[in-house]
Amino acid sequence: HGLLGFKGAEKPSNKDVHLLCHVFLHNPWSSSFEKNLRLRNFILTPHQSIEVLHILKTQSFSICLDFFIWSIQQRGFSQSSEACEIMKKSLEENLDDIQSLLKGMESSQRYIPLVVFMLLMEIYAEKGMVEEAMKTFNSINKYKCRPDEDAYDLVFKILVEKGKMDVAQNLFERMQRDPWCRPRKVTYCLLLYGLGKNGQLGEARKVILEAMRRSKHEVVTREAYCHLVVGLCDSEQMCQAEEVVIEMHELGLEPDAHVYTSLVYGHANAGNIEESYRYYMGAIQDKLLTPSQEMFELLISGFCKQKGNVKLAYKIFREMVNSGIRLDPTLCNTLTRSMLEQREWQVLDEFWNGI
């Protein structure tokens, strides 16, 4: 009671941060302890909170987590991104112990803020642990908390990346029934990309209609269609992608640059190199895409692999050079090898004289 900085709402000094850490480390965390801390009304700055986290994480993971939870609940205090990164790293280092620790908090009916679950789900997402991420999301309500739109969208992203579209669709229906949340533009775009990648064009069309009906123009139809096309292209379902692009034009919607890029790569990966070239050159002509070394190399390599198309590969090479893109030695070797294999001596002579 006689320590400076520990009276009422007085702000602790930096040296008192170490004393505060001592208090945290040597007092069992409980509801009465939290109540006393609240009554003391400590006012910690974000910098001081980071200092405490740095000290506690080397001493005790559970107390570090307790302090993080307590600091978030303080009036007018906003947890910094640096503090969240410290806590995330600490969670990752103690991933094997976190579930048992959370169960203990659940039995004591502790409140755990949503940011802790978000950090934990981010770790599971980075490690590809989909089931664990889903279990964490489903357990949020047990800790006097509830998921928000960001939490839903994070889980949607995890499920879509892993192709778990049946689970994602069930979660989408759950979100629609949630009185506290509603699907946003990013939610619809994630879902449509996943349905497109999974080839579920019929389901995707239903979602687009639902988005237009529910969102009151918050979801832009063009963006919804664009994400669907990108998903179809990523899974090389080019006939369906072309079908959706035609629908967009009929509705007066112009595909964006991301769509044209996906069409170029999708056709190239599916072996339709002529279609890929047509889309790319058309997009450049309409100024929807700018000349790209990566795309030119994709097209040139694709035509080099096809017998009898080395002349067209050389033509594209000249277009690349004329657009100001630098020469790549590996690409020159690829062209030379193809010209030699196909005995295109005249083209080879013109190619090397041009270099």
Side-chain angles (χ1 to χ4, degrees):
H1 286 271
L3 291 173
L4 292 175
F6 279 47
K7 295 179 179 180
E10 189 175 352
K11 175 182 171 183
S13 64
N14 288 333
K15 65 178 181 179
D16 291 331
V17 164
H18 294 274
L19 295 174
L20 187 58
C21 290
H22 182 82
V23 171
F24 291 143
L25 289 167
H26 293 85
N27 285 273
W29 208 282
S30 63
S31 56
S32 61
F33 181 56
E34 282 195 356
K35 181 180 178 182
N36 280 303
L37 287 174
R38 248 190 329 269
L39 290 172
R40 300 308 303 165
N41 196 21
F42 300 135
I43 301 175
L44 293 177
T45 66
H47 175 72
Q48 289 173 330
S49 177
I50 290 167
E51 289 296 312
V52 173
L53 284 171
H54 273 302
I55 296 170
L56 293 180
K57 73 174 184 177
T58 61
Q59 303 291 324
S60 170
F61 165 64
S62 62
I63 294 175
C64 181
L65 180 59
D66 283 328
F67 170 76
F68 184 77
I69 293 170
W70 171 77
S71 64
I72 288 173
Q73 299 176 65
Q74 302 315 297
R75 280 183 313 202
F77 183 78
S78 177
Q79 195 63 257
S80 67
S81 58
E82 187 177 349
C84 289
E85 282 299 316
I86 295 169
M87 194 65 246
K88 182 179 177 181
K89 188 175 181 181
S90 185
L91 285 167
E92 190 171 5
E93 291 171 351
N94 296 273
L95 204 56
D96 296 335
D97 304 323
I98 185 64
Q99 292 304 327
S100 59
L101 187 61
L102 289 176
K103 285 187 181 297
M105 291 181 171
E106 180 188 351
S107 61
S108 61
Q109 298 185 331
R110 283 281 304 279
Y111 165 76
I112 300 180
L114 184 60
V115 64
V116 175
F117 295 104
M118 294 288 284
L119 293 173
L120 192 55
M121 286 191 290
E122 284 178 13
I123 295 168
Y124 285 136
E126 291 166 5
K127 294 182 176 294
M129 302 166 72
V130 182
E131 291 184 7
E132 288 79 0
M134 198 66 201
K135 286 178 183 177
T136 301
F137 178 82
N138 289 329
S139 69
I140 292 174
N141 290 325
K142 297 178 182 178
Y143 300 92
K144 302 180 181 180
C145 190
R146 59 179 174 80
D148 62 3
E149 285 90 348
D150 289 332
Y152 274 103
D153 291 339
L154 176 58
V155 179
F156 272 123
K157 186 178 180 182
I158 297 168
L159 294 171
V160 166
E161 287 177 352
K162 296 299 178 181
K164 305 280 187 180
M165 290 312 300
D166 52 341
V167 184
Q169 285 174 271
N170 291 334
L171 184 65
F172 181 71
E173 292 173 3
R174 174 179 162 184
M175 187 180 187
Q176 288 179 309
R177 295 191 301 269
D178 192 328
W180 301 101
C181 301
R182 64 174 180 174
R184 302 180 297 183
K185 180 165 66 176
V186 64
T187 311
Y188 284 110
C189 289
L190 280 169
L191 188 61
L192 285 167
Y193 171 79
L195 289 171
K197 195 173 181 180
N198 215 38
Q200 297 174 259
L201 189 54
E203 287 296 320
R205 286 195 173 104
K206 291 179 184 177
V207 171
I208 289 176
L209 290 174
E210 181 73 8
M212 293 170 67
R213 184 178 71 83
R214 280 178 172 267
S215 64
K216 297 180 182 178
H217 307 294
E218 287 181 16
V219 178
V220 182
T221 311
R222 176 173 175 265
E223 288 186 64
Y225 271 106
C226 287
H227 279 80
L228 176 56
V229 175
V230 172
L232 291 166
C233 290
D234 284 357
S235 57
E236 299 177 19
Q237 300 177 77
M238 302 314 297
C239 290
Q240 290 181 322
E242 295 272 10
E243 185 181 332
V244 176
V245 170
I246 291 170
E247 283 182 26
M248 290 184 69
H249 285 299
E250 288 175 349
L251 292 169
L253 305 171
E254 180 63 39
D256 61 16
H258 197 186
V259 168
Y260 281 104
T261 302
S262 297
L263 287 167
V264 171
Y265 278 103
H267 276 298
N269 294 331
N272 308 325
I273 197 68
E274 292 86 358
E275 282 296 299
S276 180
Y277 174 66
R278 183 176 67 83
Y279 267 108
Y280 185 50
M281 298 313 296
I284 289 178
Q285 186 176 358
D286 295 338
K287 297 183 179 179
L288 297 168
L289 292 177
T290 56
S292 160
Q293 181 174 348
E294 184 180 353
M295 284 193 177
F296 271 121
E297 290 177 359
L298 174 75
L299 295 171
I300 292 167
S301 299
F303 280 116
C304 283
K305 292 174 184 176
Q306 294 183 344
K307 191 174 182 180
N309 273 334
V310 72
K311 289 183 178 179
L312 187 51
Y314 175 62
K315 177 187 174 185
I316 299 171
F317 175 82
R318 295 306 312 168
E319 290 172 352
M320 182 185 80
V321 173
N322 292 336
S323 65
I325 296 174
R326 67 180 181 83
L327 296 179
D328 180 59
T330 305
L331 185 62
C332 291
N333 291 337
T334 301
L335 270 168
T336 301
R337 192 180 303 110
S338 297
M339 290 172 184
L340 289 170
E341 289 174 355
Q342 299 182 31
R343 298 178 179 276
E344 294 286 353
W345 312 119
Q346 184 178 353
V347 180
L348 179 62
D349 185 57
E350 184 181 346
F351 170 58
W352 278 103
N353 285 333
I355 293 178

